[in-house]
Amino acid sequence: MRAWIRTSTSAFSQVPLLGWLFGALIAVALEHLVGTPLALALGLPKIPVLFGFVIMLKKPILIPSAILYVLCIYVVPIGVTTRLSISRTNRLAAELFRSPIVISVAVHLALLYAILHMWAGINDYRLLVLKLTLIAIMVTLSLNVINGYMGEFSCSHPGFMALGAYGASVFTVVLFVDDRLFGAAILPPALGPFMFPIALILGGLVASLGALAVAIPSFRTRGDYLAIISLAFMFIVKSLIENLEFVRGPRGLSGQPDWANLPTVFLWTVICVWIINNFVRCTMGKALNAVRDNEMAAEAMTVNTRRTKIVAFLFSAFWAGVAGGLFAHVLGYVNPGTFGIQKLAEVLAMVYFGGLNSVYGAVVGAVSISLLGEVLRPLEIFKWIIIPLLLILVMIFRPTGLIAFKELNVTNLVKPKQNPDEEM
Amino acid sequence: MPFLRIQEMSHDFGGLRAVHNYNLEIGLGQIRGLIGPNGAGKTTIFNLITGIYMPTEGEILLDGKKINGLQPHQIASMGVSRTFQNLLLWRHMTVVEHVKMAHYSKISYGLFGAFFGTSKRQREEAEIEEKAYTLLEMMGIRHLSDQVVLNLPYGAQRRVEMARALATEPKILLLDEPTAGMNPEELVQIMDIIRRAHGELGLAILLIEHRMKVVMELCEIIQTLDFGQVIAEGTPKEIQNDPKVIDAYLGKERPI
Ligand SMILES: Nc1ncnc2c1ncn2[C@@H]1O[C@H](COP(=O)(O)OP(=O)(O)O)[C@@H](O)[C@H]1O
Ligand SMILES: [Mg+2]
């Protein structure tokens, strides 16, 4: 028995990423086909939205049904298909691997998108959670650039998000929406989706501009003092927006056109991960690590530390701003209250839970804390006891987070895990 | 004309005059020694040359150009490199990353290349990497290239620092007690490396060193510093027999 378990788990270690994606695709397709009848047959009111966790917490009596559902729809199908197709998916992965890396990556991303699309197609709540999770990945990664890669403690990211959210929202609402505050639309709404990237980039640039207020003090201050400056920045942005009547102050700005559909959010997340991962892996990006580990040595080795800091802050703020823009358009409403200390706690939790100085860590942190936040929603107040408790445990046992200091190497990721010639 | 010329340089820390009317002329291919008891101001002189502090008085000329007031990284990219007395490595970075980082000022792919991973960047990074491996080979630490420096023994860390300093392709190298804490075997190796850096690369080297054996063997001319002032300057032989030096330095710490 034990030997059997060992051989079967070691077989799973040979499943290439492609195999897992195929397995997941089968699972979500299965859910589309038989999800509802199965759920009803098991006595569940409808398809469990987040892997059954929400329903388990709401109605403990349904725990066995929910577990059974997850087993039937996700665990068993994924396990069986990946296991059975190991040699085939490896051969396919090898084939793809021989073609230019771009093609291989594009195929993997297309599969991933298909999975997410189908998974989120079950209901609107899933779609919303998915979009917000993707946005959380962007914010976490951008904060990781400062707190992880450069080793400063920035508390300003909710502020950057707010700047991006308002920058992008004002742009789209003024230009494309008949609005009581800003008057009739200036451009035809049909142009909108093409202009949406511009709106997001604009939001990002506004955030970058704001980031100068933290970047310049960072030349002379480090550590706690800079953390306090950045915290002050966050509060200043918040109260600034609260006092700006032309964006309706604390009541918030609504009416953003719904251009932030899943493909758009997915694409921006991919671009964000790709660019940040490019940056942190080259010598110019590694200069952030040098500044973190020893600034004096960095200067002595010709690294322009001021430039490095400015670039890091502006770059990081840009992506937080883009994420903020997407956030505002996903919800169709934004108010300054959102970008306060609670948001900060949430993003910091994602960064430190997932792991510093690591793209994997940022993704893992953002996804797990986002999902956990949703799953634990039925527990209401206890949610804010369980999540911090988990964070404390991680900090005790892995002070740098779950997956810290691990480089994301795309080539290794899409590589076949088994020599296609040797048969299983 | 000497490559580095320092004229009447003084530096105060608050009320303490750490360096007083210091003069130095050093040409390419020369090795100079700087000795003196602890707290004499040797490290401060290095920090002044490399721009970490700005001299209160005096001038520092590099190749005829005045460099006081420039940022440390600017001075470094003009060909002044150094090691630190207390090993300032980047604790989470690997050995090869250290050496690659020292090429920072020569990177020409710019932010665009950094963000989008252009082919120009791939080419440049590959070149930098190749150079880094050659240097690590020369320093005898190629096999450690993917190790995080934190995990390395002390002697290896010293060598990484030396490799990193050489990777900036300097014309003058400032070594601050490079043999501190080394065992006799490591000592021989590091002396060999210094000789080769001098012989093969034709660098000017300014060496702060506590072990008399090392300075006496390597340096052509030695300055002795005490309370921020040069109290003696000359060949190893002259220095060894100078009563002032014996008084200030050799008297306090037995020569090795
Ligand atoms: N940053 C500083 N601030 C104040 N005093 C300093 C500083 N750095 C060095 N000193 C003082 O300057 C003197 C020379 O120090 P240093 O150059 O480190 O000596 P050495 O390297 O010769 O042992 C010492 O008295 C030391 O205490
Ligand atoms: Mg010293």
Side-chain angles (χ1 to χ4, degrees), chain B residues 43 85 176-177:
Chain B
T43 301
Q85 182 173 354
D176 198 344
E177 304 192 18

Side-chain angles (χ1 to χ4, degrees), chain A residues 274-275 278-279 282-284 286-287 290 292-294 296-304 307-308 315 405, chain B residues 52 72-73 76-77 82 84 88 90-93 97 100-102 104-105 109 114-116 121 125 164 168:
Chain A
W274 179 63
I275 292 185
N278 273 340
F279 179 59
C282 70
T283 302
M284 201 181 272
K286 291 258 164 71
R292 172 194 64 203
D293 288 350
N294 198 304
M296 203 199 279
E299 277 277 335
M301 293 302 120
T302 77
V303 176
N304 186 342
R307 177 184 132 117
T308 303
F315 179 63
F405 296 98
Chain B
I52 292 173
H73 71 89
S77 23
R82 70 175 292 181
F84 295 88
L88 301 185
W90 299 304
R91 43 194 251 116
H92 296 292
M93 289 168 65
E97 281 171 358
K100 284 172 76 178
M101 186 54 60
Y104 180 93
S105 67
Y109 55 72
F115 293 155
F116 298 102
R121 157 183 151 173
E125 288 280 338
R164 182 179 74 171
T168 65

Side-chain angles (χ1 to χ4, degrees), chain B:
Chain B
M1 190 179 52
F3 183 67
L4 175 70
R5 168 187 256 147
I6 300 175
Q7 287 169 332
E8 297 295 310
M9 177 172 77
S10 300
H11 188 70
D12 299 336
F13 287 116
L16 174 80
R17 177 143 283 207
V19 176
H20 189 68
N21 287 350
Y22 178 75
N23 290 293
L24 175 75
E25 286 190 1
I26 177 167
L28 295 178
Q30 292 185 321
I31 306 191
R32 297 293 190 95
L34 191 56
I35 63 173
N38 272 326
K42 305 178 299 291
T43 301
T44 305
I45 288 174
F46 274 19
N47 288 342
L48 287 163
I49 298 172
T50 52
I52 292 173
Y53 306 137
M54 193 163 152
T56 315
E57 283 162 31
E59 280 202 334
I60 308 171
L61 301 167
L62 192 70
D63 217 1
K65 284 190 291 283
K66 192 173 159 204
I67 59 166
N68 25 345
L70 294 185
Q71 298 279 320
H73 71 89
Q74 292 171 313
I75 295 173
S77 23
M78 289 168 78
V80 181
S81 195
R82 70 175 292 181
T83 63
F84 295 88
Q85 182 173 354
N86 47 340
L87 269 183
L88 301 185
L89 294 172
W90 299 304
R91 43 194 251 116
H92 296 292
M93 289 168 65
T94 63
V95 171
V96 67
E97 281 171 358
H98 274 76
V99 179
K100 284 172 76 178
M101 186 54 60
H103 289 90
Y104 180 93
S105 67
K106 300 193 190 69
I107 291 173
S108 69
Y109 55 72
L111 283 176
F112 188 81
F115 293 155
F116 298 102
T118 54
S119 55
K120 180 181 165 69
R121 157 183 151 173
Q122 316 293 36
R123 225 177 312 120
E124 239 183 291
E125 288 280 338
E127 275 166 30
I128 293 176
E129 192 157 301
E130 178 153 351
K131 276 191 202 169
Y133 281 123
T134 316
L135 193 58
L136 290 177
E137 187 85 62
M138 174 183 148
M139 304 293 283
I141 44 175
R142 166 141 194 180
H143 59 290
L144 302 173
S145 56
D146 289 327
Q147 300 257 353
V148 173
V149 290
L150 199 63
N151 309 330
L152 296 179
Y154 188 75
Q157 292 195 7
R158 280 258 170 232
R159 271 199 250 182
V160 173
E161 212 196 17
M162 186 84 83
R164 182 179 74 171
L166 288 174
T168 65
E169 297 173 359
K171 298 204 180 73
I172 180 163
L173 187 60
L174 311 180
L175 301 174
D176 198 344
E177 304 192 18
T179 68
M182 285 191 163
N183 61 35
E185 194 184 327
E186 292 170 331
L187 184 76
V188 173
Q189 289 170 344
I190 211 89
M191 281 176 73
D192 183 48
I193 288 170
I194 295 173
R195 276 204 200 89
R196 283 170 64 188
H198 172 240
E200 291 171 24
L201 306 171
L203 305 181
I205 295 177
L206 188 57
L207 176 71
I208 296 178
E209 187 48 67
H210 266 308
R211 302 199 207 204
M212 278 305 145
K213 177 172 165 281
V214 179
V215 230
M216 298 294 167
E217 215 169 286
L218 285 175
C219 302
E220 298 139 12
I221 296 181
I222 299 168
Q223 287 179 323
T224 311
L225 211 62
D226 196 20
F227 293 112
Q229 298 203 49
V230 175
I231 53 166
E233 181 163 357
T235 60
K237 234 196 187 81
E238 289 164 0
I239 291 291
Q240 250 171 334
N241 300 322
D242 193 317
K244 268 189 288 183
V245 177
I246 296 170
D247 228 27
Y249 184 73
L250 303 178
K252 288 178 202 165
E253 278 177 48
R254 282 183 56 76
I256 302 160

Side-chain angles (χ1 to χ4, degrees), chain A residues 168-249:
Chain A
S169 297
V170 168
F171 181 82
T172 54
V173 172
V174 168
L175 287 183
F176 300 103
V177 180
D178 293 321
D179 183 85
R180 258 183 302 131
L181 222 62
F182 302 119
I186 297 168
L187 294 173
L191 267 179
F194 301 103
M195 299 292 271
F196 191 42
I198 297 181
L200 293 176
I201 290 171
L202 189 83
L205 292 177
V206 172
S208 290
L209 200 68
L212 282 175
V214 187
I216 291 171
S218 80
F219 293 165
R220 308 194 133 259
T221 1
R222 297 206 64 168
D224 304 351
Y225 296 102
L226 190 65
I228 290 168
I229 291 173
S230 66
L231 192 64
F233 174 84
M234 183 190 84
F235 285 118
I236 290 170
V237 170
K238 192 165 159 253
S239 48
L240 191 75
I241 297 173
E242 275 166 356
N243 289 297
L244 276 183
E245 211 29 61
F246 91 98
V247 290
R248 292 201 198 101

